Amino acid sequence: NRWLTCKSLPPGALERIADTVADRVRVPWFAGAVKVNLSLVPPLVLLPVLLHVAALHFLLGLIVLTSLPVVVLWYYYLTHRRKERTLFFLSLGLFSLGYMYYVFLQEVVPRGRVGYSQVVALTCGMILMLAALSRAKKDPGYLPIPASDVKSSHQGLPNKSVRGSSNGLHGITMSGAASGRAVNGEAKGYSRMSAEEPEGVKKDWCTKCQLVRPARAGHCRLCGRCVRRLDHHCVWINSCVGEQNHQAFILALSFFMLTSVYGITLTLHTICRDRTPFLALFYCPGAYSDYSSALSFTCVWYCAIVTAGMGYILLIQLLNISYNVTEREARLALRDNTGRRLLGGLVIDTGQYNRGFLCNWGHFLSLGSSPPQHSAEDIV
């Protein structure tokens, strides 16, 4: 009524309406109505429609392919500012992968220039990528939540020992190892620094989780948990990247890059004959001669945009691993002005954990390979 009469809405009215609509959208099922996450719907509906519209004309393709990254970045900024978790990016990535594979089988393979072995190789790459993604979606290395009696014991800590901010990135430093064991001794050895961490690195007290964090651990504001060796919260997998799943995350990115580049090359060889893939991507005279070729060429450009973005993420990750620094540590170093910008600012070297290229990669490849060791002092 207020909208029809052009009256102003009370504060928070639109948010309440959106929450009510999201709660009422359900699908009938045998065991009862299942609630549908609205963030899953836009990629499933808009992506095929926009790609088919882009295939109608070159100018339409230019407009659609230019606006898509802008919309995705805007939605990322919106959810990141509100500190919300969303399945939009995960569903967009998975549905884009499935739809590109469908277009490849329906429009490119029937032309006869793609062999059976090439289709098998592309399919195997997708399966490996999905397997690595499934592993990356598992526990990133969450720190165990203390029991209620441990939380109550923390309330008696003196306020003068608190030195952190409200976001939980910095906390208090315990006065001694014995105090750390007494406070968080049941945390399966997490209160003790691992062997590869340099001496003198202080452990922090997380005001959100009410526990003592080991070195390099951090609190994720989106997940609401502390993670061992927290790198960042990845919206594309809707989970944190930490000690337990960082290797699988890199594998998933690598398999995606190889599979995507291979699929783009096969498609361009089919549509734009007698041209190298790089030149065909920018100049393919027969791309819009028929709708099938236009749709395939539009999907190639969409894949190229996504691949370029994922390639940049993979590059930053590989550089960080080479210098043994996490995204979280680099961000904090920039904020506190304690790191060095290297390679044109692509990597921030904190110098705290850097032990050389080979040692850094050896440390990364051994992440999560063995549980923390308990010393005799801990057992006592």
Side-chain angles (χ1 to χ4, degrees), residues 113-191:
R113 291 181 62 89
V114 179
Y116 176 77
S117 60
Q118 293 171 321
V119 176
V120 171
L122 187 67
T123 305
C124 290
M126 287 186 55
I127 295 175
L128 291 174
M129 190 275 292
L130 292 175
L133 179 62
S134 176
R135 175 62 187 86
K137 283 286 295 175
K138 295 183 179 179
D139 181 16
Y142 291 122
L143 291 176
I145 300 178
S148 57
D149 56 341
V150 180
K151 290 183 180 180
S152 62
S153 66
H154 288 316
Q155 296 177 358
L157 290 176
N159 294 331
K160 64 181 180 180
S161 59
V162 177
R163 60 175 178 87
S165 59
S166 60
N167 59 8
L169 291 179
H170 299 282
I172 67 167
T173 302
M174 304 302 294
S175 59
S179 176
R181 290 192 298 274
V183 172
N184 204 29
E186 81 287 355
K188 299 180 182 179
Y190 287 137
S191 62

Side-chain angles (χ1 to χ4, degrees), residues 85-104:
R85 297 188 67 182
T86 175
L87 293 175
F88 174 83
F89 299 96
L90 179 62
S91 60
L92 176 62
L94 292 177
F95 185 68
S96 298
L97 186 69
Y99 191 71
M100 295 303 105
Y101 186 68
Y102 168 78
V103 172
F104 179 80

